Structure formats: structure tokens, C-alpha cells
């Protein structure tokens, strides 16, 4: 990871240590930037006693959590740094006395101006994965967990960042042909469901909401594997497509239960299995946490495959940036 990003993480971390105890960590953002932070909430919940909650930025300000105050840490993210709801949430949190850390690609953006501390990341093809948003988030997260728990095991989580690009590149090569095949088969589907859970919740939600709905205008919905059997499974039929992300770790059996059922009733079940991805560089304690970044690499290849097969650029929007909402 670039030295300046490491320094930004150190600066933000030092500020969290001055809080004299964190009562709650909130992650707030919109769309893909919110989805990208969901694993942080999951990891925090799994690893320590400090409550962590992720909320869409507008719901955060609307809900006005009762415990939000001078011992709270509010982490936001906006790629552009300009999304109004996210900036409103940061200013709202600051008004309550919370410490705000903004994660953004855009130097000098509103988010940077509004946040107490900023973590920048790089973007674009050819960027080392440790300098992308996920790398910077995990750099901050594992440093924070080490600080609040005093457990040195998080050093291993930080060390894995050095191998992230190697692992991501391996998945790109491994999954490339599969992505082409699946998207060629699915390109005329009017509706595709995305199913996942646990650490993969954000990436699976983002695949449905951002890649399929927003960037391909394909009807879709995210279904949590645990919730599939409580409503959504009634729409399962031989011709209904499901892309299911099968995670590692504690939620894997929930994903498997969906796969077993869906495969009996639909001929269009496609499974991204994180166990297929080689992660030998990562310590066992952190494999599940890193696997979602690799799921994201596969989801991105599917999105690019759809864009190619359907002749529909991922950059086209009908409303966003053109019409007020
Ligand atoms: O990350 P930003 O700049 O706040 O932008 C958020 C917007 O970008 C997306 O995540 C992807 O275009 C949208 O879903 C969302 O409206």
C-alpha cells in the first residue's frame, strides 16, 4: 500500500484512540460505496464487542440513532466525494460530536472537506489491489481492530494486503472464461436474482443493485440466503435465473441450502464458490474476510461480460446525474 495511504490510516487511527472508548461504529454511504463497506460491519460484529451498524446515508440521518455522540466513529465512503446524502450524513454526525472518517477517491472533494479525517484510495485498471478501496478499508479496519482489542493477530490480516493483487489477478485469469460463458447464456434474460450472505452480502447486493439494475438496466433483486426460504423461493421456477455466491466460513451452509433447493427447481442456477479461489497466501483466520474481495472480482467480470454481450456500456445512466431526485 502506498506510504501516503498508510499515513492517512495512522492519522485516523490516532484520532480513534483519543476517543477514550468507542460506543458504536457506523458505516454510512450510498449504493456501491455502501455495499463496499458492508464487510467491515460483518467483520466488526464477528471480532469485537463494539457495536457496528451499516446504514444508507439518508436512513442514518433520518433514523438519528439514539447513541450517536462524541464516542461514536462514523466511517463514510463516496467515490466522487460529492453524493449529497453522504455529505449530509457526515455533517449530521459531526453535529452530534462523532468522529468522522471519509473514504474517497477524489482529492479535495466535499467529503474530504467535511470529514475530520480522510482515507484516499486509487482507482482504475492496473492499480495494485492494496491501493484500491477494499485495500484501504481493510488496512484501516484491521489496524482499528488491533487497537481496540489489543490482539496482534490482526497483523496477519494486514500482511495479507501484500498478496491481494496476486490473488485478484489469479481470479481474473481463473474466472474469465466462466464469466464469458455465463453472460453469453444469460444475456437475453429480463430478470436475474443474486443470492448471497455473510461477508458476501455487500458484493452480492452491489451486483444486483449497481451492476445489473443501475448499469445494465436488468431487473434484479438481492436475496439473503437465509431469507430465500421466507418468501423469495416461491418465485423459483425452471426458467428463473439465480446467480448464487457461496461463501467461506459460518454462512456457507446457508448458501448451500439455497443451492440445493434452487437446483432442484430451476435450470438456471449459477454458483460462484469462494472455495474455488486459491488464497494460500492468507492466514486461515482471515480467508473468509478476504474471500469477498475475490467474489467482487468475479462479479465485476460478469458485469463486464454482460456489458460486452449486450452492447450496453457500464457508464450509461438514464437518471443519475441527469435528473433531480
Ligand atoms: O460513491 P459515490 O460517489 O458517493 O456515488 C454513489 C453512487 O455511485 C454508485 O454506487 C455507482 O454508480 C451508485 O449506486 C450511487 O448512487
Amino acid at each position: 500500500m502506498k506510504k501516503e495511504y498508510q499515513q492517512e490510516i495512522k492519522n485516523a487511527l490516532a484520532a480513534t484512540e483519543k476517543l477514550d472508548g468507542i460506543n458504536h461504529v457506523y458505516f454510512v454511504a450510498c449504493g456501491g460505496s455502501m455495499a463496499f463497506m458492508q464487510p467491515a460491519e460483518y467483520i466488526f460484529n464477528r471480532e469485537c464487542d463494539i457495536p457496528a451498524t451499516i446504514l444508507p446515508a439518508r436512513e442514518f440521518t433520518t433514523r438519528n440513532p439514539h447513541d450517536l455522540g462524541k464516542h461514536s466513529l462514523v466511517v463514510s465512503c463516496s467515490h466522487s466525494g460529492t453524493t449529497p446524502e453522504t455529505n449530509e450524513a457526515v455533517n449530521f454526525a459531526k453535529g452530534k460530536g462523532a468522529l468522522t472518517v471519509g473514504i474517497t477517491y477524489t482529492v479535495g472533494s466535499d467529503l474530504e472537506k467535511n470529514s475530520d479525517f480522510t482515507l484516499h484510495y486509487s482507482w482504475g485498471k492496473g492499480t495494485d489491489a492494496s491501493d484500491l478501496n477494499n485495500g484501504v478499508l481493510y488496512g484501516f479496519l484491521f489496524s482499528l481492530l488491533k487497537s481496540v482489542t489489543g490482539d496482534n493477530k490482526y497483523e496477519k490480516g494486514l500482511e495479507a494486503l501484500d498478496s491481494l493483487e496476486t490473488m485478484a489477478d489469479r481470479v481474473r485469469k481463473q474466472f474469465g472464461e466462466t464469466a464469458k460463458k455465463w453472460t453469453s447464456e444469460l444475456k437475453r434474460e429480463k430478470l436475474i436474482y443474486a443470492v448471497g450472505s455473510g461477508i458476501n452480502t455487500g458484493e452480492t447486493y452491489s451486483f444486483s443493485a449497481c451492476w445489473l439494475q443501475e448499469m445494465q438496466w436488468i431487473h434484479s433483486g438481492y436475496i439473503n440466503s437465509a431469507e430465500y426460504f421466507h418468501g423469495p423461493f416461491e418465485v423459483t421456477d425452471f426458467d428463473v435465473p439465480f446467480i448464487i455466491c457461496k461463501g467461506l466460513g459460518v454462512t456457507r451452509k446457508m448458501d448451500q441450502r439455497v443451492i440445493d433447493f434452487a437446483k432442484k427447481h430451476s435450470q438456471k442456477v449459477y454458483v460462484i464458490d469462494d472455495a474455488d479461489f486459491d488464497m494460500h497466501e492468507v492466514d486461515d483466520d482471515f480467508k473468509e474476510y478476504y474471500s469477498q474481495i475475490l467474489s467482487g472480482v468475479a462479479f465485476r467480470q460478469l458485469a463486464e461480460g454482460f456489458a460486452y454481450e449486450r452492447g450496453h456500456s457500464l457508464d450509461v445512466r438514464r437518471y443519475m446525474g441527469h435528473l433531480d431526485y
Side-chain angles (χ1 to χ4, degrees):
M1 187 187 296
K2 286 181 183 172
K3 287 270 177 301
E4 64 257 40
Y5 297 169
Q6 291 180 25
Q7 190 55 50
E8 288 181 342
I9 289 172
K10 276 188 192 145
N11 296 345
L13 189 67
T16 65
E17 286 166 352
K18 286 195 191 126
L19 284 180
D20 191 24
I22 300 173
N23 75 332
H24 206 132
V25 183
Y26 287 98
F27 297 96
V28 297
C30 300
S33 288
M34 177 186 69
F36 134 79
M37 291 198 294
Q38 177 275 330
E41 182 212 41
Y42 178 87
I43 295 171
F44 232 81
N45 285 174
R46 297 274 300 151
E47 295 288 328
C48 79
D49 296 338
I50 300 170
T53 306
I54 185 159
L55 285 171
R58 181 53 68 87
E59 172 153 354
F60 174 72
T61 46
T62 308
R63 194 187 290 191
N64 185 9
H66 194 263
D67 69 354
L68 179 66
K70 60 185 172 43
H71 289 288
S72 310
L73 170 63
V74 176
V75 183
S76 65
C77 177
S78 172
H79 186 80
S80 63
T82 59
T83 300
E85 292 97 322
T86 308
N87 280 291
E88 281 159 21
V90 170
N91 289 329
F92 177 79
K94 274 203 313 194
K96 298 273 180 175
L99 175 69
T100 56
V101 174
I103 305 176
T104 185
Y105 166 69
T106 314
V107 177
S109 64
D110 290 349
L111 191 76
E112 179 171 349
K113 289 180 193 136
N114 290 328
S115 303
D116 295 313
F117 290 87
T118 305
L119 308 179
H120 291 99
Y121 59 82
S122 304
W123 198 245
K125 281 210 161 68
T127 304
D128 187 272
S130 68
D131 292 323
L132 292 170
N133 54 358
N134 278 305
V136 170
L137 177 68
Y138 274 25
F140 179 57
L141 185 70
F142 292 132
S143 305
L144 182 59
L145 281 167
K146 185 181 169 200
S147 161
V148 297
T149 65
D151 193 332
N152 279 331
K153 78 170 182 178
Y154 297 107
E155 284 296 338
K156 289 182 185 156
L158 291 167
E159 278 163 23
L161 285 171
D162 296 336
S163 311
L164 192 49
E165 180 57 32
T166 306
M167 295 190 291
D169 197 45
R170 209 156 47 209
V171 174
R172 268 177 227 121
K173 288 176 182 134
Q174 177 184 344
F175 195 74
E177 287 307 312
T178 306
K180 280 186 195 157
K181 182 171 182 295
W182 291 10
T183 51
S184 166
E185 287 171 15
L186 290 168
K187 65 185 172 195
R188 293 204 171 80
E189 297 292 342
K190 298 270 180 282
L191 177 149
I192 301 169
Y193 288 112
V195 188
S197 66
I199 194 80
N200 282 310
T201 298
E203 280 298 340
T204 314
Y205 168 79
S206 174
F207 178 66
S208 174
C210 300
W211 294 120
L212 293 184
Q213 290 179 314
E214 178 179 1
M215 301 183 192
Q216 286 297 296
W217 308 349
I218 295 175
H219 291 286
S220 182
Y222 160 70
I223 303 168
N224 181 288
S225 302
E227 277 294 281
Y228 170 77
F229 296 100
H230 302 285
F233 77 156
E234 295 294 344
V235 298
T236 306
D237 212 337
F238 73 97
D239 59 349
V240 177
F242 292 89
I243 296 180
I244 304 174
C245 189
K246 183 174 164 188
L248 303 176
V250 290
T251 58
R252 185 171 174 84
K253 51 185 176 294
M254 301 193 322
D255 302 329
Q256 185 62 55
R257 194 164 65 128
V258 178
I259 294 163
D260 292 343
F261 186 93
K263 277 194 167 170
K264 277 191 205 138
H265 302 281
S266 165
Q267 291 161 12
K268 297 181 180 173
V269 177
Y270 295 77
V271 179
I272 298 172
D273 185 350
D274 285 344
D276 290 341
F277 302 143
D278 177 2
M279 299 177 67
H280 71 269
E281 295 91 342
V282 181
D283 183 87
D284 283 350
D285 281 350
F286 295 89
K287 281 195 168 69
E288 179 191 5
Y289 299 159
Y290 273 90
S291 65
Q292 64 88 17
I293 301 179
L294 304 183
S295 312
V297 171
F299 276 132
R300 189 187 178 96
Q301 284 181 304
L302 289 175
E304 286 170 354
F306 278 122
Y308 173 78
E309 293 287 348
R310 303 173 77 246
H312 183 127
S313 161
L314 295 169
D315 297 325
V316 184
R317 303 287 183 277
R318 291 199 290 179
Y319 307 121
M320 181 58 85
H322 305 298
L323 295 179
D324 291 336
Y325 63 90

